Structures are given as structure tokens and as C-alpha cells.
Amino acid sequence: MLREISLKNDSLRAIKHLPAQEGSYQDYPKEIHPALIKAFREKGFERLYTHQYSSWETLQQGKNVVVVTPTASGKTLCYNLPVLDSILKNPSARALYLFPTKALANDQRAELDETIKLLSEEIRIFTYDGDTPQDARKAIRARGHIVLTNPDMLHAGILPHHTKWIKLFENLKYIVIDELHNYRGIFGSHLANVLRRLKRIAQFYGSSPQFVLCTATIANPLEMAEKMIEAPVALIDNNGAPRGEKYILFYTPPVVNRFLGIRRSYVNEARRVASLFLKNNLQTIVFAQSRLITEVLVTYLKEDIEKTIKDEGLIRGYRGGYLPLKRREIEKGLREGKILGVVSTNALELGIDIGTLDVAVLAGYPGTIASTWQRTGRAGRKTGMSAAVLVASSSPLDQFIVNHPDYFFSKSPEKALINPDNLSILINHVECAAFELPFRDGEKFGTVEIGEILKFLEEDQLVHHSKDKWYWTSEAYPADGISLRSISSDNFVVVDATERTKAIAEVDFTSALTTLHPKAIYICEGERYFVEELDYEQRKAYVKKTDVDYYTDAIDYTKIKILDIFDKKRLDRFDTAHGEVHVATQVVGFKKIKFHTMENVGAGDLSLPQNEMHTTSYWLTVPASILQALPFSSEQKINGLYGLAYILHHVSPLFLMCDLHDIGASIGDNSTGESVPPKDMLAKIEPLHGTPFYFEMDFEPNIFIYDNYPGGIGLSPSLFDLEKRLLETCLKTIAACPCQDGCPSCVGPTAESGEQAKEVAVDILSRLLE
């Protein structure tokens, strides 16, 4: 069906057939408790897959393990088996399970409950999160064999109150961290510090727990796991799970305006593709990139499928923000086949049990290859045929993936990166650790010397040194003010003033100036709000509901100054480096972008306070000789640099497993250190200052890709290590784009990058890579 539609307009870019795969098995080891083997056999697990067996063997040797296998390959058994076995043999043993979301914790709880019902011995498991009633918490602390929680609750609800959890910490045998690939960037850097605190408290109570980590396929599972727990880890990746036959299709919306490179809306195309399968009665899941698009697609698909009253409820939405009972009802409806189609955000990407579906449609590339495999794995679990269709948006990342399927289907190139020693994050957790237990002189926090940090905290009157220990003296409760999802706890509150004032959201400090500036359109749960006022001092933004057909995109002017060069390389015709930089960003205006067509329909000027930070950056230097040799005017050369910065910014996440907003891009002059203003500001600035520096003969541009967080989160060294590969990927992406002059899929729309931007960017890249 899809082939017929796409033949007319060359939309289908790849069809990959994955043949069915037999399972690879081993018998249960003899030393496992017989009651447990009997229970698992009753559940239908006659034998172990090879990776489950290897995991058991390695854990019995006292090692930590990281299990790397695809979705639905039975990773859960890799930790449930040793944990339940140790509790059956020693009823005082305890285990702590960490999941990134409450929904996943609840799902795993249901899985454990089923197994425990089949055992005669009593094993008590509890979920401990923000929804746990106060009166139940005491019983959990005293009696729980297995406690299922999330990093946020461990950080703020368990570790600071460790004296109430003595039973758990004294007997802690296993710590399970599921979906490890989710803990990257800021969240992962925080979690590594939370685990430093956890290990410190466990050691205080005399226990030395083993870690079992599970992750989807990434390029550096072992390095990531060892950095996370700061201990040696054994890699288990011999997947023995069977797999049904599967087809994976890459589909790109047809171009409707070749000159501007405008394609049909990927949301409408995802609707068409999903409707094809749904009308053939195939149970389908559609993944959307945001809550807004989830709701839009639910509306569209209900119109297409629920034609009569009898069909009502066949199509459902699923996302964060829905009440837990509603989510459980949808999960059950999917398992029982009563729901034909579901549209979800990434909430259903993780291992929640929704049974076996026939088709997965991805509306837009999820941003990482790991997430894409997780989502496609939602269709067709063990046997039978299934299909997955990736409908690409017009972003450069999406277009690169669908036009280079070999890149996607070969070994995962993505590294999950964390930086636990980011100074802002580290200081926050040293405060929390000092609150939990005094530090001894010379004691390290994980692998870090913290004497200087403790002296700094003493100056702030937060700790006090007495005899040979550092004691927490402040009345503040540090964990309360630290969010694991951001570096700064200095957030802005969004206040809805439409009828009566109420807080509807919180936005972190760095995003606030670009998303909550006056006249911005702020989107929350699909509702659009007009920002009436930004109270910078009080950290509040006052908004009112509105019904407009556009959103706003801030124009910011970023000035970068190099403070320290960590490393530098000469790559034939150009230099690359990474180091510490000072970034000063000021929001100077905004554009109005129309939904779906992405047209620029207006603009406005702003003058907001400057935001400054020290961070880490990667940069490449285009030699002045190459720039001068280009057969273009000075203005066109600058346009080409804007285009090059745009494509570098958009392609970098391919290798980093980060979101686009985790990194920033800017252009500066290698000799003077001055920064080039954004395209939208050039016309206003040029007449005032005569000939700008970037039109001079000796202008040698640096293109910076910097970590968009104070202190950096470890992204820039990885870009530096890529050497020429990053530029080669940029060149391939531009070459595969059918537009004439530049578009959102390559060097940015002509209106943003300027005339000839595409041609100049290609020329620069070709000369650099000669």
C-alpha cells in the first residue's frame, strides 16, 4: 500500500527486512532456589535466554553488570532472578530498583507481583514515589524487601532521611538501574552524584551493594555504566531472545515547493500512513514528538477511524499529564486488543507492558537511534510479522537519517555522555551529602577531592569544621532546592492570569529568556498562552490564553570568548579545538512562525538582560585563505557561514544523544575574538559602524558548538574526537537535500541564512575536506 503511494513522489527512502530470529537458550543453573525456578516455569519461562544466563553467572562472581539488548528481550529477568533468589535464601536481604518514570515503576511492580504470587514465601515489594500515601511510608521503610523508586525520590525523599531506612541500607544487596540510556546529559550527571551519595550511606551502614544496569543499544554502554557508578562493570550483550519477522520503512514527505525546499507536513503524512494500517484493522501505535502533536494526531485519527458510535474509543491518546487510572485503563485496553490505535509521546517508549502491536508509526525522528529502536520495538514482540514506519520531518537530522539508512542500520554511533564533575552540579550534591553525613578530612566524594569545595561552603556558613570533620550547620534542607533535571534551581514560574491567577508550569532559568519573553507564545499541554509580562526580579511570567496559529522563536545574540584551550588538532586544511569559553547571550528579538507551514509571519524587537555563563565548547577554524578564495561576495560568504553553523548545530546531536537545545552555535573571529551577530541583526548594525570586521580580508571565522549549560556536560570533547567525520556528515546531509537555495532540512531557510548560503556552505566544506 505504502509502496504504491510513494512511487508517485519518491517518498519511500528505505525498506529494511529483518528476518525472524531463533532464540538461544540455557537451562536454569542448579544453585537457583527451586521454588523460584518453579514460579518462572509456571509463568512460561521454561529456560533462560543466553544473556539472562550470562548475567546470572557474572553476578554470582560478585561483579556489577550492564545488560545491553533490544526492547522486549527479557532484560527484567536479568535482575529479578538474582534479587528474588537472594531474598528467598536470606529474608533480610534488600534491593533498590530505580526507574526513570513512575509508569515504568508501576509496570515492573505488576510483573514482580505476578511472580511473587506463585511463591509460598512472603516477599514484600513497594513502590515509593510522590504518590505514596504518608501513612504507608513507615511500613515500606521497615518492611520492604524490594523498593521501587525514581532518582528524584531517592535524591529528595530517601537519602536525606537515611536514618529512617536503616533496615534497607544495612542489608542492601542489589541496586538496579533500568533504562540507563535515559540518564544522559544533565539528568545523568545528577544521577551519578546521587549514586555517590547512595554508596557513601550504604558504606556507612556496612553494606556494599552490586549494581545491575540495563540499557538500549548505545555506542559506549560499558564506559557510561562505569562512569555512572565509578566501579568496574562487566558487559552482557549476547542477546538470546527470539524475534519475529519485521519490516522497517523510512518515509519522507514529498516536496511541494522545490525552490524553498518546503515539504508536506510530516504530521499529516503520519496521519495518512497510520490510517492505512488502522483501516486494515492492524493494531497501531503512533509516536509523536510533543504533547501538542499527540493531541492533534488523536483528533485527526478519530475523524478517520471512529465513524460510528460503535467505534468510539478505538483511538486513544497517551502522555504525561493524564491521570494514572486513565493510563492504566489505556494500557489494559491495548493488551486486550480493545483499543485499535494509540498516539503517545515518549511515555510508552519505555518497557511498559502494552502487549503485542502490529505496527509502529513514528511521526518524526525521536532524536536518537536508541530511542528509534525502542519505539520500533513496540511492534511485534516475539513472533509474527510486524512493521515500523519512520515519517521524517524536514529537520536536517530527520533528513540525514532517512537519506542514509546504512548509517542507521549499522552499529550505533551514539555516545551517551555525562559529566558528574560539572562544578555547579557537584557543589549541589556535596551540600546534600554533608547534610546526610559529616565529611571526614581528606574524604573524597566518589573520585573527587572536595577540600576546596568544603572551604567554599564554610565561607557561605553552610558547613562548619570541627576536630577532623565537616558538619552541615545551615537550617536549609539542600535536596529540596535542587532539581535533577536542570543545573540551576533558579526557575521562573509561569502564572496563568486569564481568569484567576494560578501557576501552570516552571521553566528553568536558561530557557526562560527565550521562551517567556514579552509577546512570546508559550505552549503548555497543547494550550497556547500569550506572555503579557516577564517579572525578572520575582522570577515570574504572567500569561493569558490565546488562540493564534503561530508560535514564537527568540532571536539571540551570543558573544563567545575563549578562556582556555584544552586540546587542539590540525586536520589537513583546518584546525579544531575544544576548551573553556565565556558565553554571553542576549535576546534581542523574536520571529513569529506559522504552525505546520513553518513560514515566518512577523517579528518584534526586545531588549532583555544578558545571560552569562562559563561552559565548554568545540570549535573549528576556517582559514582566512580558504574564505578569501571563495568566488562569492563578502555578504554571500557570511551567509555561507550562517548556513554552516546551522547544519553543524543540527547534525551534532546525531553523535551526542542530546537534544538540539542542549547545545548552542555561534560564529566568532579567531584573531580578534569578536562575535558575528545573528543574520536578523546585520541590517540594523552595519550602517552604524562602517565596514564590519567580518568583511575584512584577514577575517578567520571560528564556528563554535558549545554546551548550553554552565560548566558543560561533556559534549564538546566528543565532537572534537570526531575529527573530519562531523563535517563529512554535514556535507552528505546538504548533498541529499533537493532544495535550490537552502531550507530547514540543510542550511536553514533562505530568509534566515541568506542568499547563496547553500552553495557557499558546500564550497567551504568541500575545500576543508580536500
Side-chain angles (χ1 to χ4, degrees), residues 674 677 682 685-687 689-697 699:
E674 286 188 74
L682 283 189
I685 291 172
E686 277 168 25
H689 298 291
T691 308
F693 67 90
Y694 40 85
F695 286 169
E696 301 283 353
M697 291 291 286
F699 172 51

Side-chain angles (χ1 to χ4, degrees), residues 534-606:
L534 178 68
D535 187 336
Y536 194 79
E537 299 303 316
Q538 294 295 313
R539 301 284 192 265
K540 283 182 181 169
Y542 294 93
V543 301
K544 282 191 177 170
K545 275 188 189 172
T546 182
D547 189 20
V548 290
D549 63 348
Y550 67 87
Y551 64 92
T552 49
D553 188 13
I555 301 164
D556 50 25
Y557 185 3
T558 299
K559 297 179 181 179
I560 290 197
K561 195 167 146 195
I562 299 167
L563 301 173
D564 189 10
I565 298 172
F566 299 152
D567 204 349
K568 199 172 183 173
K569 267 184 209 157
R570 177 78 189 173
L571 300 171
D572 298 335
R573 307 210 60 191
F574 65 100
D575 293 326
T576 65
H578 79 102
E580 189 179 353
V581 293
H582 175 264
V583 179
T585 305
Q586 187 170 19
V587 176
V588 291
F590 64 92
K591 292 172 289 200
K592 296 176 181 177
I593 310 288
K594 199 167 182 173
F595 279 111
H596 305 306
T597 65
M598 311 303 256
E599 291 168 84
N600 188 335
V601 290
D605 291 337
L606 293 167

Side-chain angles (χ1 to χ4, degrees), residues 66 180 213 221-234:
V66 58
L180 177 69
L213 305 107
L222 198 59
E223 177 201 351
M224 168 77 167
E226 291 187 340
K227 202 164 186 180
M228 186 62 81
I229 69 167
E230 296 186 311
V233 177

Side-chain angles (χ1 to χ4, degrees), residues 196-367:
R196 284 170 169 170
R197 289 159 51 199
L198 171 58
K199 285 169 76 175
R200 188 168 173 256
I201 288 169
Q203 191 182 3
F204 176 76
Y205 287 106
S207 66
S208 179
Q210 279 174 268
F211 283 84
V212 184
L213 305 107
C214 298
T215 174
T217 310
I218 51 176
N220 61 336
L222 198 59
E223 177 201 351
M224 168 77 167
E226 291 187 340
K227 202 164 186 180
M228 186 62 81
I229 69 167
E230 296 186 311
V233 177
L235 176 67
I236 309 288
D237 59 358
N238 55 334
N239 178 29
R243 182 184 69 199
E245 187 182 4
K246 178 176 247 160
Y247 285 91
I248 296 181
L249 296 87
F250 283 3
Y251 180 95
T252 185
V255 175
V256 289
N257 180 330
R258 197 172 179 82
F259 185 72
L260 294 174
I262 294 172
R263 295 175 180 275
R264 254 196 227 151
S265 157
Y266 79 95
V267 178
N268 286 332
E269 291 299 290
R271 168 196 189 170
R272 281 186 352 134
V273 170
S275 292
L276 269 177
F277 293 114
L278 291 163
K279 283 170 183 168
N280 281 280
N281 223 24
L282 293 166
Q283 205 180 14
T284 301
I285 181 166
V286 182
F287 282 104
Q289 296 293 73
S290 68
R291 292 177 173 191
L292 172 67
I293 290 170
T294 302
E295 298 299 349
V296 167
L297 277 168
V298 170
T299 311
Y300 286 170
L301 290 172
K302 276 184 179 291
E303 283 172 18
D304 294 348
I305 306 300
E306 296 182 1
K307 296 279 168 61
T308 65
I309 290 178
K310 158 166 124 308
D311 297 335
E312 247 174 59
L314 280 178
I315 307 294
R316 300 291 293 269
Y318 185 105
R319 60 173 175 77
Y322 286 4
L323 295 173
L325 281 174
K326 191 174 183 180
R327 292 214 293 248
R328 295 298 89 76
E329 176 218 327
I330 295 167
E331 289 159 23
K332 189 163 178 272
L334 283 165
R335 281 196 296 271
E336 293 172 356
K338 289 176 183 168
I339 294 173
L340 182 63
V342 65
V343 185
S344 171
T345 54
N346 62 354
L348 277 178
E349 176 185 313
L350 305 174
I352 294 159
D353 182 17
I354 50 171
T356 309
L357 307 179
D358 301 306
V359 181
V361 176
L362 281 60
Y365 175 61

Side-chain angles (χ1 to χ4, degrees), residues 26 29 48-61 65 67 78 234-239:
Q26 290 267 14
L48 294 177
Y49 298 140
T50 43
H51 62 276
Q52 294 168 338
Y53 180 85
S54 303
S55 179
W56 165 269
E57 290 284 286
T58 312
L59 286 165
Q60 295 316 296
Q61 294 163 23
V65 301
V67 182
C78 291
L235 176 67
I236 309 288
D237 59 358
N238 55 334
N239 178 29

